[in-house]
């Protein structure tokens, strides 16, 4: 079977999470992805949070599957020459070094274009070039704070809060992926490559769109009626943290179910969908609320929405989260159990769809990882292991025309 990106050669000059998440997906969909790593060191995630001594950590294997690895010191003259050869033969180069690092190595965008005008060059930085913070090194949580996520996440009486979801890292990688694929299609039309730059701040902000919407609404009307603060607590001049409130027009909350006292995940998310209110009221044992003027409309419910949630919690008290969802689905209430990572890891449906896959990793054996969240009708991505550090160095050098003696010398000189 021909995979969609087969024949696309990618130099993966990335590390940690944002860049590797992007190039991993290119590899899943068929691109030939070569990870270029510092000799003897490699991507820092190979050694971070190791669960088995002296083995590549899961942090690395879960972000670098389906790739090849080459060790190459790109700060040496010979290493630079080899990287130039690779660039000449590639379709895509992706990097997420600290600001200026690639330039200091001698690979400015101008130089890259000279080497290969058809190359699509993908680059991740914490901030865009226009930002006053453009020189900063950035990790996930820094981006969440700078992109508007932290100030709008958490509870109003607590500090700004970081999401566990990798809004700054993997999310930026996914944005970069969209940019690279777009640039490859553009190249079909123009014959030319281009630089695709994504900042982590921008990628986080793109997911915080509704919070910018709320900022504008707040400036127009002075309050946000779907936030728990309304109508009792005055609003300030910036969007407050709304706890577990729904971000759309449908109020919702995380509600306790049977067993919450001992199980930290015995909760469901419950949404009151306006158009489904009569059935929702029936589901929770209050059919009379459908017509009661104090309950019949969203506007009437909002001032005492937490009393309504408390009443729903009383209804939930003798039901597990799964039992509750089983009942509520019959009434078309948008809801879900709060699933723990343990439940997700062993969920048969996620295994069946390929969203959680078991991968055979050299030396480690089998481990679980997240498969492709995108499903295609004509192929199913096959997730394979991640490369050992430098596993493909000799193979790549031979492909570039280096003979056995030259390869041995490069090893001896620690260029590779
Ligand atoms: N051969 C020789 N040198 C190499 C090399 C190779 N194959 N690969 C990397 N290097 C060098 C770099 O050139 C750089 O050298 P200088 O500092 O002398 O220019 C050095 O290794 C370290 O580069 P780095 O970018 O990895 O720096 P870091 O580990 O200090 O910072 C990070 C890591 C992530 C904070 C930084 O890369 C960054 O801000 N990246 C942009 C934002 C980003 O993608 N963050 C996401 C991280 S995911 O949480």
């Amino acid at each position: 079977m021909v995979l969609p990106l087969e024949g696309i050669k990618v130099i993966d000059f990335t590390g940690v999470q944002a860049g590797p998440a992007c190039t991993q997906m290119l590899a899943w969909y068929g691109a030939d992805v070569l990870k270029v790593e510092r000799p003897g060191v490699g991507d820092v995630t190979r050694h971070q949070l190791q669960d088995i001594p002296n083995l590549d950590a899961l942090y690395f294997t879960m972000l670098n599957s389906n790739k090849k690895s080459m060790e190459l010191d790109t700060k040496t003259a010979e290493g630079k020459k080899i990287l130039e050869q690779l660039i000449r033969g590639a379709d895509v180069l992706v990097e997420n070094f600290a600001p200026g690092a690639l330039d200091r190595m001698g690979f400015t965008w101008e130089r890259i274009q000279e080497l290969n005008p058809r190359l699509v060059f993908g680059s991740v930085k914490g901030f865009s070039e226009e930002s006053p913070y453009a020189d900063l090194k950035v990790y996930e949580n820094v981006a969440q704070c700078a992109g508007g996520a932290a100030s709008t996440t958490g509870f109003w009486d607590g500090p700004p809060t970081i999401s566990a979801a990798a809004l700054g890292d993997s999310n930026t990688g996914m944005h970069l992926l969209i940019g690279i694929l777009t640039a490859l299609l553009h190249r079909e039309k123009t014959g030319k490559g281009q630089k695709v730059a994504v900042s982590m701040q921008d990628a986080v902000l793109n997911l915080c769109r509704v919070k910018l919407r709320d900022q504008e609404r707040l400036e127009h009307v002075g309050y946000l009626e779907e936030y728990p603060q309304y109508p009792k607590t005055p609003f300030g001049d910036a969007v407050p943290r709304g706890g577990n409130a729904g971000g759309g027009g449908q109020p919702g909350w995380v509600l306790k179910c049977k067993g919450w006292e001992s199980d930290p995940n015995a909760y469901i998310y419950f949404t009151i969908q306006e158009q489904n209110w009569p059935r929702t009221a029936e589901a929770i044992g209050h059919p009379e609320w459908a017509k009661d003027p104090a309950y019949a409309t969203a506007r009437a419910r909002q001032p005492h929405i937490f009393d309504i949630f408390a009443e729903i919690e009383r209804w939930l008290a003798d039901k597990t989260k799964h039992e509750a969802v089983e009942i509520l689905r019959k009434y078309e209430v948008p809801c879900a159990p709060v699933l723990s990572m343990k439940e997700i890891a062993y969920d048969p449906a996620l295994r069946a769809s390929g969203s959680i896959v078991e991968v055979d990793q050299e030396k480690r054996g089998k481990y679980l990882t997240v498969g492709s969240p995108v499903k295609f009708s004509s192929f199913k991505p096959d997730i394979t292991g991640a490369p050992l550090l430098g596993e493909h160095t000799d193979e790549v050098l031979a492909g570039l025309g280096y003979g056995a003696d030259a390869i041995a010398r490069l090893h001896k000189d620690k260029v590779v």
Side-chain angles (χ1 to χ4, degrees):
M1 193 202 344
V2 179
L3 292 172
L5 300 182
E6 226 165 276
I8 299 290
K9 286 190 164 184
V10 180
I11 304 169
D12 179 7
F13 216 9
T14 71
V16 201
Q17 186 174 162
C22 166
T23 49
Q24 173 170 261
M25 214 170 247
L26 289 168
W28 287 351
Y29 303 155
D32 180 3
V33 177
L34 175 65
K35 191 160 174 104
V36 174
E37 301 181 78
R38 243 183 307 180
V41 183
D43 190 324
V44 290
T45 59
R46 286 187 184 270
H47 317 286
Q48 276 176 346
L49 311 175
Q50 275 176 338
D51 57 320
I52 303 175
N54 306 318
L55 270 198
D56 285 330
L58 289 169
Y59 196 9
F60 178 82
T61 59
M62 292 176 82
L63 285 156
N64 291 283
S65 57
N66 298 53
K67 302 179 184 178
K68 291 179 177 169
S69 163
M70 171 184 205
E71 287 175 288
L72 185 66
D73 186 341
T74 53
K75 282 187 173 163
T76 62
E78 278 198 291
K80 285 184 210 289
K81 212 178 93 195
I82 293 167
L83 184 61
E84 285 181 4
Q85 272 180 285
L86 289 171
I87 289 175
R88 284 200 184 91
D91 297 284
V92 178
L93 167 68
V94 188
E95 68 93 25
N96 68 321
F97 290 123
L102 203 60
D103 292 353
R104 286 194 289 281
M105 249 183 241
F107 292 91
T108 60
W109 169 224
E110 291 69 30
R111 178 69 185 134
I112 290 168
Q113 279 172 292
E114 258 171 40
L115 291 168
N116 182 352
R118 281 178 58 79
L119 190 93
V120 171
F121 171 47
S123 175
V124 168
K125 295 287 164 269
F127 294 89
S128 70
E129 280 174 14
E130 293 78 10
S131 167
Y133 301 124
D135 58 320
L136 282 183
K137 289 183 177 181
V138 172
Y139 287 104
E140 171 70 52
N141 296 351
V142 178
Q144 288 200 26
C145 288
S151 72
T152 53
T153 302
F155 286 80
W156 46 91
D157 53 358
T161 304
I162 299 301
S163 164
L167 308 177
D169 285 341
S170 280
N171 170 46
T172 305
M174 298 305 100
H175 279 79
L176 186 66
L177 182 72
I178 294 165
I180 288 171
L181 295 174
T182 304
L184 283 171
L185 285 176
H186 203 195
R187 189 178 75 169
E188 299 283 301
K189 298 194 170 89
T190 64
K192 290 200 184 97
Q194 61 186 299
K195 179 172 173 178
V196 180
V198 183
S199 88
M200 295 167 75
Q201 181 187 38
D202 292 348
V204 172
L205 172 60
N206 193 30
L207 296 195
C208 291
R209 183 174 300 260
V210 296
K211 297 297 172 183
L212 185 60
R213 172 203 68 188
D214 292 349
Q215 182 62 33
E216 293 185 81
R217 290 170 58 221
L218 186 62
E219 287 174 22
H220 289 154
V221 295
Y223 61 88
L224 299 165
E225 73 232 34
E226 77 284 21
Y227 280 59
Q229 289 83 347
Y230 177 83
K232 293 181 187 130
T233 317
F235 283 79
D237 59 2
V239 175
R241 290 184 273 289
N244 290 319
Q250 316 288 358
W253 204 254
V254 169
L255 301 180
K256 289 170 190 156
C257 295
K258 184 178 163 187
W260 66 273
E261 298 90 339
S262 55
D263 176 355
N265 296 304
Y267 291 82
I268 60 168
Y269 198 87
F270 191 103
T271 313
I272 299 180
Q273 190 192 22
E274 174 66 348
Q275 57 271 42
N276 197 40
W277 174 242
R279 299 201 72 206
T280 306
E282 194 188 339
I284 56 170
H286 283 286
E288 75 284 3
W289 283 356
K291 296 228 167 76
D292 184 332
Y295 292 87
T297 64
R299 192 158 289 264
R301 288 190 295 274
Q302 193 59 39
H304 58 114
I305 194 84
F306 280 92
D307 296 334
I308 296 174
F309 287 139
E311 183 59 23
I312 301 173
E313 277 190 339
R314 278 191 279 280
W315 177 79
L316 287 166
D318 62 351
K319 297 167 190 73
T320 67
K321 61 185 177 184
H322 296 293
E323 288 165 353
V325 169
E326 268 317 300
I327 297 169
L328 294 169
R329 70 195 301 178
K330 297 192 182 94
Y331 293 87
E332 295 179 60
V333 174
C335 61
V338 171
L339 295 179
S340 70
M341 262 305 147
K342 185 173 177 187
E343 288 170 301
I344 285 174
Y346 297 99
D347 185 317
L350 289 173
R351 300 281 186 111
S353 69
S355 297
I356 298 264
V357 290
E358 216 173 65
V359 171
D360 226 344
Q361 175 67 29
E362 206 170 326
K363 294 194 176 171
R364 171 182 285 278
K366 288 203 187 308
Y367 75 98
L368 279 192
T369 191
V370 179
S372 175
V374 186
K375 315 296 178 194
F376 299 88
S377 61
S378 68
F379 78 103
K380 192 167 181 176
D382 181 23
I383 317 295
T384 61
L388 299 175
L389 178 60
E391 190 179 335
H392 305 92
T393 306
D394 293 1
E395 175 190 315
V396 174
L397 288 172
L400 293 175
Y402 288 81
D405 290 349
I407 295 175
R409 192 184 48 74
L410 288 168
H411 278 291
K412 189 171 137 291
D413 294 346
K414 296 194 168 26
V415 175
V416 298

